[in-house]
Each structure stands twice: as structure tokens, then as C-alpha cells.
Amino acid sequence: MKIQFLSLLLLLSVALPAKSQTYQPTEENMKSREEFQDSKFGIFLHWGLYSMLATGEWTMTNNNLNYKEYAKLAGGFYPSKFDAAKWVAAIKASGAKYICFTSRHHEGFSMFHTRFSDYNIVDATPFKRDIVKELADECHKQGIRLHFYYSHIDWYREDAPQGRTGRGTGRPNPNGDWSSYYQFMNNQLTELLTNYGKIGAIWFDGWWDQDQNPDFDWQLPEQYTLIHRLQPACLVGNNHHQMPNAGEDIQIFERDLPGENNAGLSGQNVSALPLETCETMNGMWGYKITDQNYKSTKTLIHYLVKAAGKNANLLMNIGPQPDGELPETALQRLAEVGEWMKTYGETIYGTRGGRIAPHAWGVTTQKGNKLYVHILDLQDKTLFLPLGDKKVKKAVSFADRRPLKAQKCEGGVTLSLPEVPTDIDKVVELEISD
């Protein structure tokens, strides 16, 4: 019995290190995390063959489209109006500091030139241009950070194991060939991190597809190690709707601010990692011709401000049209948000969530001893700020620098405003004691 026990301990000592190893981010990675947090605002771009059908990015599985028939879309994909310089310039003018682009979505089509599948933008379409290469070159030129969305699932490849989605696409083997598919993904990730310059992050999606098969092993640690080896500063995020795993550098929330769960996808706790929330500008991620329900500029700015107040970035999505242009309404929203950011960007960029927690009236952001009070909804001319023993050395209206009265009271200060705020966001700058 003793020998058996010692043998068990020996086996455990050999097996445990692989599971218990802690991820140690490099100095470059930690710097990249800080830069990511400082940037606060990014634009998500969902673009693929699904744009041609104009019914959203889940059309293939929602309508059980046969994978061989769906692939024929590539033969007619010719986005003649695609202009990477115009895309990046419009996004940069919005105040966004980075772009996250769908290099390969669940439909399985690669929007870049890959050696490991003919099913890609260069080899399978008459367009014959590497969109990712043009976008990457322009991002580097214009000083915009580039992230790549990469799907862990694939409704087209026969070797991709089927989960709860994509079961009606006609692929012959539900089990697929995991070793083949896993190698394919890692080969593509190697291309993305080798051929397109410095990449800010890899944004994974699809882990949840195997949630009905809890024993399924995505082999994430090895994949994350590959990414960090190829580009140590590249951040890893995974939209798996749970607490981060070892090897992940950011925590993602879908359609919800951290700590909220209105959409039913973000019930997880909030970690100490850099945070990002992603949301659609209208109702869909991919282009949908009937979806013109765009959020107002005020709503978008409020979402951005609330995200910053919760110490998170906002990744706002646009679904480009099949002709290669960004929808006109989306461009208009980008321009309007950009105008606001010209004035108030200082209260967003480089800040962290303020010492005053979010309230019904708004949020705070902070940079050193400067506390920015973002008043989003207040029907009064006075506002109590729970600052405890902190003293306010100076209080001004941020936009016009008009001095404001901040009177010390029990538990904080009472801020007096000249009128009931009617701005999209009335920002007050406070200089507080250390």
C-alpha cells in the first residue's frame, strides 16, 4: 500500500506542473497591457463572405446552409470599393486607438492570404488582394494598433469538431479531426503573427461552442504559449464568457459593462486584468441590410464613458458592406464621436476608473490627482460626491474651465453647478488631495 501511495505521489508530481504552471507575462507584455488600457476606445470590424448575404455573420448556421454551396460565395466576392487608408483614417478620426479585425470568423473563410487553405481572400475570390495585409500596412502607417479576431470554431472545415452550432452545414464527420484542425489553427496564427508586423492582440471566440461537452480540451495553454513566443507583447483575450484562464492578458465582456449581465453573456466576476467590453453600433456584428437601428451618438458616447468609468475599454463594432465600404451611418457616428473626443478625450485616454464608483448620475475617471466627474443624467444643480476625507483643491467645468464650488460636507463634497446639466456628458475636473 505504501509503495502504491508513493507511486501515486510520483505520478502526481510529474502531472501537476503542467496544470499548475503560472503564466509569467514579459516586460513587453506588461507594457502592452498598459498601452491597451490607456487607449480606451477601439473599433471592431466583422467582415467576411457573410456580408454578401447581408443577413448577419451567423447566417450560415442559422439557415443550415450547405458548406460547399456557401463556399461558392467566394467566387463572387469582389469588394471593389475597399480602401484600407479610408477605413483607418475614419476610425482614427473617431478617436479610436485600435482596430480589431475578423481574420477568420465562424464561417471558416480566411480574410488573409494563408498557405494552409485555398479558402481565402486571395486564392478563392476574383479580388485577389490580401485585405489583412493592406489593413495592417495602413494601421502601422497611421499609428493605429491592430488586433486580430480569430475563431476557434469553423462551420466549413471537415476536420473541425462540431459543437452546438454549425451542425446543419452538411459536413460528413461530426467528430472532425482535432489534431489536424488544431495544427491548422496554430499554423494560421503563426502566419498572422509573422507576416503582418506588430500585432496588439489575438481576440479568440468560440470556446463556448463546446459548452455541452465539458471534457473537450481546446489546448489553450499551448496555443497561448505559441502566441507569446512569436510576439511577447501581443495580448491574448478569449470571449469565453467566464473568468480568464492562465495565459490570457485581457478580460472580455460581450454586450455588457464589467459587473453587469443585461445581455446574459457576462455573469463572470471582474478580474484584475485589463478589461474590454464589445458592443454593436446597430444590432448586428456582421452587415445586415435591414438593420438600420443604429445607436445614437449620445448612446455611444455614454457607453464609452461608462466603460472608462468601470476601468474598461470599449470595442465598438461596425459591419462593413460587401462592396468594401463602411456604412454611411456608421461613418457619421464615427465622425460625431470624434468631435466629442477632440474636446473630452483627455478625460478618457490614459485614465483609470475613478475613486468614486459608478452612480445613476454617471461615472468618474481618474489620472493622478485629477478626478473627472462625468455627469450623464442629473436633474439638479447640486451633486454629492462621496470622497470621504479627500479635499478638493480645485473644481472647474472641463470644457470652459469655469470655476465651480465644491463644499466640504460629511462623507465628501457637494458640487454646485450653474445650471441643470443638458450636455451629452457634463464633465467636471476636480483636483483632489493625495
Side-chain angles (χ1 to χ4, degrees):
M1 180 69 70
K2 185 176 181 181
I3 294 175
Q4 290 177 339
F5 179 70
L6 290 174
S7 298
L8 177 61
L9 285 179
L10 180 60
L11 285 171
L12 287 173
S13 68
V14 173
L16 281 176
K19 292 286 185 182
S20 62
Q21 282 178 352
T22 56
Y23 164 55
Q24 296 293 332
T26 62
E27 184 177 342
E28 303 104 298
N29 188 279
M30 294 301 291
K31 181 181 178 183
S32 182
R33 293 184 188 189
E34 186 175 359
E35 292 171 349
F36 173 77
Q37 286 184 292
D38 287 345
S39 62
K40 282 295 179 289
F41 182 32
I43 295 297
F44 215 166
L45 296 171
H46 273 70
W47 201 31
L49 295 182
Y50 44 82
S51 69
M52 299 175 69
L53 300 178
T55 50
E57 76 290 348
W58 274 53
T59 293
M60 185 179 182
T61 187
N62 287 346
N63 293 284
N64 292 323
L65 303 179
N66 181 274
Y67 73 119
K68 291 183 178 179
E69 290 299 312
Y70 186 91
K72 294 177 183 177
L73 288 171
F77 190 42
Y78 195 88
S80 60
K81 296 183 180 180
F82 171 69
D83 187 328
K86 286 184 178 179
W87 277 24
V88 177
I91 289 169
K92 185 175 182 178
S94 76
K97 298 296 185 181
Y98 63 98
I99 291 170
C100 185
F101 182 77
T102 50
S103 64
R104 187 179 66 93
H105 204 268
H106 309 325
E107 65 173 2
F109 184 74
S110 297
M111 295 292 282
F112 63 101
H113 194 202
T114 174
R115 294 193 299 112
F116 300 98
S117 170
D118 293 335
Y119 195 44
N120 70 75
I121 187 69
V122 174
D123 295 322
T125 78
F127 194 57
K128 301 298 179 187
R129 287 160 53 188
D130 188 337
I131 284 170
V132 167
K133 180 68 166 61
E134 294 180 27
L135 187 62
D137 288 348
E138 203 57 46
C139 282
H140 299 321
K141 179 180 178 181
Q142 296 194 37
I144 293 291
R145 183 173 170 137
L146 180 62
H147 299 181
F148 287 139
Y149 170 108
Y150 191 83
S151 174
H152 266 135
I153 60 179
D154 193 310
W155 299 326
Y156 169 78
R157 287 184 65 91
E158 294 183 1
D159 59 356
Q162 295 180 28
R164 61 176 165 86
T165 66
R167 288 187 168 272
T169 63
R171 291 170 295 160
N173 181 13
N175 295 323
D177 182 343
W178 170 249
S179 61
S180 169
Y181 181 61
Y182 185 67
Q183 186 62 55
F184 163 74
M185 288 195 294
N186 288 340
N187 287 340
Q188 285 207 319
L189 289 166
T190 299
E191 288 180 316
L192 289 170
L193 292 168
T194 302
N195 300 335
Y196 300 97
K198 183 178 179 180
I199 303 304
I202 297 294
W203 205 100
F204 285 115
D205 194 20
W207 178 94
W208 35 261
D209 198 48
Q210 293 289 343
D211 54 10
Q212 297 174 1
N213 182 14
D215 294 328
F216 189 87
D217 183 7
W218 286 102
Q219 295 180 254
L220 297 179
E222 297 87 348
Q223 200 164 63
Y224 294 170
T225 297
L226 170 69
I227 293 167
H228 290 134
R229 178 175 58 79
L230 291 169
Q231 291 201 27
C234 182
L235 306 180
V236 172
N238 198 321
N239 187 37
H240 45 43
H241 310 149
Q242 63 172 9
M243 284 293 285
N245 297 312
E248 295 169 11
D249 305 298
I250 62 175
Q251 185 177 10
I252 298 168
F253 298 84
E254 182 176 350
R255 292 187 184 271
D256 265 308
L257 295 167
E260 300 181 7
N261 193 23
N262 299 313
L265 298 171
S266 301
Q268 68 270 35
N269 292 329
V270 180
S271 75
L273 291 177
L275 311 174
E276 180 186 73
T277 178
C278 58
E279 178 57 287
T280 53
M281 191 177 281
N282 50 1
M284 294 293 293
W285 300 101
Y287 179 67
K288 184 176 181 180
I289 196 168
T290 58
D291 182 8
Q292 297 301 313
N293 188 28
Y294 282 85
K295 297 172 180 64
S296 68
T297 301
K298 178 180 178 179
T299 297
L300 297 178
I301 290 172
H302 278 200
Y303 209 94
L304 171 60
V305 171
K306 288 178 180 179
K310 290 205 165 195
N311 206 34
N313 290 13
L314 171 62
L315 182 61
M316 180 59 63
N317 181 75
I318 297 171
Q321 298 169 177
D323 64 0
E325 289 195 319
L326 301 180
E328 187 60 37
T329 305
L331 288 171
Q332 180 183 347
R333 294 292 187 273
L334 288 178
E336 291 167 350
V337 172
E339 282 302 308
W340 186 88
M341 289 293 275
K342 285 178 183 178
T343 300
Y344 296 102
E346 183 182 334
T347 72
I348 303 294
Y349 301 129
T351 65
R352 299 296 182 265
R355 62 178 300 105
I356 299 175
H359 282 68
W361 52 259
V363 300
T364 62
T365 57
Q366 192 161 348
K367 194 183 301 179
N369 67 344
K370 287 187 178 181
L371 184 71
Y372 301 106
V373 182
H374 295 265
I375 303 172
L376 306 177
D377 185 11
L378 182 67
Q379 306 304 315
D380 200 346
K381 293 195 293 185
T382 61
L383 177 63
F384 171 71
L385 299 173
L387 284 168
D389 295 332
K390 293 291 183 180
K391 296 180 180 179
V392 175
K393 297 180 180 180
K394 185 179 179 182
V396 298
S397 176
F398 182 81
D400 58 18
R401 312 310 293 173
R402 183 193 305 182
L404 300 174
K405 184 178 179 181
Q407 186 174 356
K408 183 67 180 170
C409 61
E410 185 177 354
V413 300
T414 299
L415 181 66
S416 297
L417 303 169
E419 62 273 320
V420 175
T422 57
D423 300 343
I424 287 179
D425 176 9
K426 173 67 176 178
V427 184
V428 174
E429 178 186 312
L430 303 181
E431 184 179 338
I432 58 176
S433 60
D434 295 330

